[in-house]
Amino acid sequence: MSTILSPRKILVVPLDWGLGHATRDIPLIHEMLNAGCKVFIAAEGKHAALLQQEFPDITIFPLPGYRIQYAQKGKFFGLKIIQQIPKIYWAVKNEQKWLKKMVKEHGIDAVISDNRFGLYHKSIPTVFITHQLLIKTPFGGWIERTLMKINYNFIKKYSACWIPDFTGDNNLSGELAHPAILPPHTTYLGCLSRFEPKEDVKKKYDLLVLISGPEPQRSNLEQMVISQIKNLSITALIVSGKPGTPQSEEIAPGVTQVNHLNATDLNDAMLASDMVLSRSGYTTLMDLVKLNKKAILVPTPGQSEQVYLGEFLMEKGFFYSLSQEEFSLEHALKEAAAFPFKSFQHEQDMTRYKAVVQDFIKSLQ
């Protein structure tokens, strides 16, 4: 007589640093659900709102994030983060205490932690997801080496480390996720995007603007774009990155602004646009690559990771990048029109993550 196994219970917890960690976990969650797993999510605020919209039947546990506050001026970004290290430390301690309780109460079989440091457990498999083994700072040198050492000490507490990127030279993260020495049990997932290409999508917009990231810089870029786009004769859609507050209005002839789009609508909007303007947040970059889109990148001021990625990927020829300080929409569109964009896609398997997730689930049986 065969034994029927109960569904594996997997807890997924994204970092509350912008929406990218939540959105890049969506394809992983779909893969787990397709495999018959029971998935729980832990999040709060707009991250919980976004994931509840995508997965209305999944239970979302409230778990406070790190609630990082950001500097008004980009040059103080790194210092502001360093000042909050004690707050992060106590949040990590709280995660440990909370997880022990949840595993006991809900019979959790495994945890997928997207860049949250305190969700390892001695009795069940736990996975740490990151694209930053090397953590960029404005200060470089010994500070980056020290942060990398601390990062590795946490990663080693997990059963596995998954990196959303490709091995080899044709990669998206450069030295961030390809240092000389990797943590143990490291696996590259390939591109991790919730979006899917479609054939013969009719063009609708000259430009799609994706506003995202932490305040106050999200609003700063939004205001710059809105004030400048009204003087241009283009069709455009501006997505303001504010889930949970649906709103749409035409702010100029041919220019529509919406607060948020669900995954399906945003997928279609990206495919229907000639050019995308966005931050160089890593999840956005994976979405652009998955759909093979040309893009203008505007890194969040002071966020060293985004500045590095913008410069690295422009040098590779994948995207055009410029700083927010020198931002001119009209100039950026002209420069991007003349930029010799290269395609990232042609050599890469965009579904590699599925095999990694399937193997992980089999290991839980």
Side-chain angles (χ1 to χ4, degrees), residues 16 33 49 57 87 108 116 238 254 313 321:
D16 63 324
L33 293 173
D57 297 327
K87 182 166 74 170
I108 304 296
R116 292 187 65 149
I238 301 171
L313 294 170
S321 182

Side-chain angles (χ1 to χ4, degrees), residues 286-299:
M286 290 193 290
D287 291 339
L288 292 167
V289 162
K290 180 74 176 290
L291 298 181
N292 201 23
K293 299 302 296 183
K294 297 177 180 179
I296 300 165
L297 305 179
V298 186

Side-chain angles (χ1 to χ4, degrees), residues 226 271 348:
I226 290 173
L271 291 171
Q348 303 292 13

Side-chain angles (χ1 to χ4, degrees), residues 344-362:
F344 181 90
Q345 265 200 342
H346 61 282
E347 296 177 353
Q348 303 292 13
D349 176 10
M350 293 288 160
T351 61
R352 174 169 165 68
Y353 71 90
K354 294 187 177 185
V356 177
V357 173
Q358 289 163 9
D359 288 344
F360 177 71
I361 293 169
K362 287 176 185 174

Side-chain angles (χ1 to χ4, degrees), residues 182-203:
L182 294 172
H185 313 302
T186 294
T187 301
Y188 286 89
L189 292 173
C191 186
L192 200 55
S193 172
R194 56 188 168 152
F195 296 146
E196 294 295 338
K198 299 176 185 177
E199 295 295 326
D200 303 320
V201 176
K202 186 178 179 181
K203 178 199 161 178

Side-chain angles (χ1 to χ4, degrees), residues 98-200:
W98 178 87
L99 181 61
K100 289 175 183 175
K101 179 172 175 282
M102 298 304 288
V103 169
K104 188 174 181 180
E105 288 183 2
H106 297 276
I108 304 296
D109 295 302
V111 178
I112 309 291
S113 169
D114 194 333
N115 231 128
R116 292 187 65 149
F117 295 105
L119 294 165
Y120 52 88
H121 195 283
K122 63 181 180 180
S123 301
I124 62 172
T126 57
V127 176
F128 188 83
I129 299 177
T130 185
H131 65 276
Q132 289 192 83
L133 297 174
L134 169 65
I135 299 174
K136 281 285 183 183
T137 75
F139 315 109
W142 68 270
I143 291 181
E144 287 185 0
R145 290 193 295 273
T146 301
L147 288 174
M148 188 174 182
K149 186 175 181 181
I150 295 170
N151 199 24
Y152 275 37
N153 284 340
F154 276 108
I155 292 172
K156 288 174 184 176
K157 297 177 188 292
Y158 287 78
S159 312
C161 176
W162 290 354
I163 299 175
D165 198 5
F166 299 93
T167 56
D169 292 334
N170 193 17
N171 66 71
L172 275 173
S173 61
E175 64 181 356
L176 299 183
H178 298 82
I181 299 174
L182 294 172
H185 313 302
T186 294
T187 301
Y188 286 89
L189 292 173
C191 186
L192 200 55
S193 172
R194 56 188 168 152
F195 296 146
E196 294 295 338
K198 299 176 185 177
E199 295 295 326
D200 303 320

